[in-house]
């Protein structure tokens, strides 16, 4: 198959559960490749370098920007986050699917360069639940939490630019929906130009 | 929920397995409503009036055309086939999903009036398999079979107008793909305009 892989972009406000849902998805679909982001923020408890993020300094991050090594980057709540270009491009070319778990600002930049990407907005069930999740995480300062909550409403207004919206009321259900989205996307006529030639010589 | 139901159109050449796949889908998803077509062709063995088709005379069929009671109709291999309008419109309005199992000519007419319909093209695995299925069915005259096969290639060229293509190499797999397509379509942002208001007051 010479078909390119799918670029799956899972985004949404902080506290929507992007990390948990992506983890659950990757456990069920081991063939999907996870694009590890680079960040200047401090590791949260349990986070590993090279697994959850590539943790880096502000100087190193700025060098990556200068050298065009980032597909997208954004400064969010005083920290930089970015997606290394090479891994994504090479993996897609090889026909494998790549998942990006990124914030709404990052997704905006991906829209422009990947019109064939599959953009999924993860929606927390309510503003109350969103606040509760961020507080429970207990990893952010009160100031950061307030910034996140204030930003969430504006981020949700970006929903209109996405292909799909998945309500994350239960991780299992949200994961299954994304699995269905992947299967459906692979059935799209415009992704199957080779099908006709292969089966109907 | 004030959301309209999905209009699912399953089409493809004769012998693609539309009937078998739709039957399997309806068994798994009993909430989907099947739009029973009207036809002037003779019932095949086991087919029941009001279940598989409404079998009717040419005169009655022509009256339905005159009275605008058909959403689409076509003359295929000397027989008329059509979709009664009222059932489809009322069911969609009530928020339930409707499935139309129709030929490629019929689907063409539906494209125009239902831009939000979900158009699925069922593709048989090969021309040889298509021929073998039509022969095995044993219900058509040699002349009709030859007409069907000659038309198939032209029908497959219509694939480009559909949203999805599902290869029907195994009924079970094809059914699961259509189930995923339904779930994905219900997650589309443009079908969820009410979601934001409901969850984010």
């Amino acid at each position: 198959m010479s078909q390119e892989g799918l670029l799956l972009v899972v985004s949404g406000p902080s506290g929507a559960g992007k990390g948990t849902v992506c983890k659950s998805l990757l456990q069920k679909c081991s063939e999907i490749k996870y694009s590890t982001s680079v960040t200047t923020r401090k590791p949260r408890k349990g986070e590993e370098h090279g697994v959850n993020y590539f943790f880096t300094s502000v100087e190193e991050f700025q060098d990556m920007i200068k050298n065009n090594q980032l597909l997208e980057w954004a400064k969010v709540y005083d920290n930089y986050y970015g997606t290394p270009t090479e891994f994504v491009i090479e993996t897609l070319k090889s026909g494998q699917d790549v998942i990006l778990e990124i914030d709404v600002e990052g997704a905006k930049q991906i829209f422009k360069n990947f019109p064939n990407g599959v953009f999924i907005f993860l929606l927390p069930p309510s503003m109350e639940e969103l606040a509760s999740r961020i507080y429970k995480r207990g990893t952010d300062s009160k100031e950061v939490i307030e910034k996140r909550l204030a930003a969430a409403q504006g981020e949700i207004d970006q929903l209109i630019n996405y292909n799909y919206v998945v309500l994350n009321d239960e991780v299992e259900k949200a994961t299954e929906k994304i699995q269905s989205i992947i299967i459906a996307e692979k059935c799209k006529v415009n992704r199957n130009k080779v099908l006709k030639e292969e089966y109907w010589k």
Side-chain angles (χ1 to χ4, degrees), chain A residues 77-163:
Chain A
Y77 317 118
D78 307 327
N79 294 306
Y80 288 96
Y81 294 82
T83 301
T85 305
E86 199 185 346
F87 174 81
V88 174
I89 302 294
E90 293 305 315
T91 312
L92 291 176
K93 266 191 198 163
S94 78
Q96 292 175 289
D97 304 331
V98 177
I99 194 160
L100 301 190
E101 174 203 332
I102 52 176
D103 63 88
V104 174
E105 281 305 307
K108 256 192 195 174
Q109 294 172 55
I110 304 286
F111 288 145
K112 292 173 201 154
N113 298 318
F114 293 89
N116 287 328
V118 180
F119 294 88
I120 301 170
F121 195 97
L122 210 59
L123 197 65
S126 69
M127 196 56 120
E128 292 71 31
E129 175 63 20
L130 182 72
S132 156
R133 286 181 190 176
I134 297 180
Y135 277 106
K136 269 186 201 158
R137 197 150 66 186
T139 53
D140 299 314
S141 68
K142 199 171 172 240
E143 197 198 338
V144 168
I145 290 175
E146 275 164 15
K147 276 191 193 173
R148 289 193 197 280
L149 286 174
Q153 195 64 61
E155 288 173 335
I156 289 163
D157 290 339
Q158 299 288 329
L159 208 156
I160 202 75
N161 297 314
Y162 288 69
N163 304 112

